[in-house]
Amino acid sequence: MIYIQAFKRGLKPDPALTITEWSDKYRYLAGEGAAEPGRYRSSRVPYLIEPMNELSPSSDTQEVVIIKPTQVGCTELANNFIMCIAHLYPGPCLFVLPTVDMAEDHSKTKVTPSLEHMICLKDIIKPIRSKDSNNTILRKAFPGGSWTFCGANSPTSMRSKSIRYLIMDDLDEFKKDVGGKEGGQGYSIDLFMKRTDSYGRKKKVLKISTPTVKELSNIEIEYKKSSQGKYHVPCPHCGGFQYLEWGGKDCKYGIKFTHNEDKVILDICYVCKHCGKRIDESEKSKMLENGHYVHKYPDRKIRGFKINSLYSPSGWVSWSQIATEFLDINKDREKLKVFVNTRLAETFDEGGDQPDWVFLTKRAEPYDMISIPSEVRFITMGTDTQDDRLISVIRGWGKYEQSWLVYWGELFGDPDQDEVWQQHDKLLNRAYERADGAKLYIISAAIDSGGHRTQAVYRYCRTRAPRVMCIKGASTLGKPLVNRPTAQDVTWGGQLIKGGVQLWTLGTDTAKSLIYNRLKQEDKQSAGYYHFPIGLTDEYYMQFTAEKMVTRYSSKGFPISEYIKTRHRNDVLDAEIYAYCAAIRAGMAFMDWAKEDINKNIVNLDKNRKKPVKREEPARSSFMS
Ligand SMILES: [Zn+2]
């Protein structure tokens, strides 16, 4: 009887099989991708069982996120998934890799070789024939569905059909924008995700990657939204469960080893977090077998899983091999990065150049807006534009570009309306009194025209030029601080004035680098030192230091350095950059500080200052009539 049932099941597969059960029953590994050719055994990689079960149609889970090192068998997890669905739960399936070349390679070397060995798929997925468009390297059709392999770098692959199964492998190599143009088509991951919408609860999404740079890592961002599971294994001595960690020199637990002068590992073990006893690698298989995932947020619907190379099954990557690689780093930053990413499956903190905002608060000095230090020779203003406010910074400049913050504030109101600009005029045109009684006026101001209120900024700057410069930022490192202006069209009283305003492009990333270096200076007398008055809110300092530089690698391996936001608001930083660039435009870089007498300099600048000409925007009705 049992025999007959089993026989029947062999012919007609049990529809409730999980991917794990299916893999143990049907999966065969072959080709380059296979670490162990032959029948698949889930017991070899027990940490893949739970994610595979969540991907099974019997689970309600729609999204699985895996942060992984290299060489732990995750490639086969994705292949098990697509092969199982082709056999039992057919539907349209899209397998995305960072580039088309990688997609082709995956299909050719990691999927196709196994197919020939698997009877259940051999019959439904036909071998590639030259004239059959349903069976190519990038597309394989089977009854009720298909696999499409594509590259995240190809915008065309994102349009068209909806998909039920979506696999995004090597997610950290996906570019933020597709189509090359900044802000062009948005985040490619979201675009792929949209294509699964029509399948509602029946969809399954798998996101896998080795992590890369902290705060830039796509997989880390996705993992943070998930249940954040980590595979815990029991100590053979005390039974205490723990996530295996590298630990490091000063850590009481984790990997511990000794080596000789030639960096040959003499002894290695894992020290238990709970009992402190040594665990030998020979215990690993048993520990893996008895492990389970501990989820930090068990109620979250997106299921997240994390493991590192210390979990690699015996015979794959050993602890000594990992330790040898660690010794080989020898202060090489790039090697360390590779180790942290591919072995520990952690993101690498680039450190960047972000100044510490708490450190800055401690250098506040006892002066304020009504008693500007007498070292200040002239003042400039920078204004950042948002849809509902203007953020302005006024800064005084002295010998060797030392500077003192004079004012920081937000003017609320939609820049498309006049009210907020009237307040701005008050700041722009008033006199600022120095401690010695001299009156200072803003000699140069820069206003951001980026964002959604460009024309309003154009109109404001047009009547106040040349003292007020209309600017836009260009975030390319190495770009000059202030570039030659270009003429832009401005709408004026219902008419278009061709070339009616001069637009200056600022090298904002260049300015950020320069200013951030200055914020780290400790000697108050040093050139370029930034001074702050006491009484500023933490918000000011936090916004000023809201970005940091990170380096990521393009798919061709070129390093790309860029600034990223680490806090939600960064308006102060922008306004400070504009105030600095306004000073540069006023000729600060060419001032002969050594020769100039402070007071004489102020008088001269003040005399040269053009009185703002009052030129009202003509009433719209005059053009109508
Ligand atoms: Zn223990």
Side-chain angles (χ1 to χ4, degrees), residues 49-60:
I49 294 175
E50 190 181 323
M52 286 207 289
N53 288 347
E54 296 288 10
L55 285 167
S56 305
S58 51
S59 156
D60 287 337

Side-chain angles (χ1 to χ4, degrees), residues 447-480:
I447 304 177
D448 176 33
S449 67
H452 304 117
R453 302 292 186 265
T454 306
Q455 282 296 326
V457 177
Y458 282 2
R459 283 192 291 273
Y460 182 83
C461 295
R462 182 177 146 84
T463 45
R464 289 157 186 84
R467 190 167 62 120
V468 175
M469 66 198 285
C470 179
I471 61 105
K472 81 167 186 199
S475 56
T476 316
L477 259 175
K479 201 163 174 85

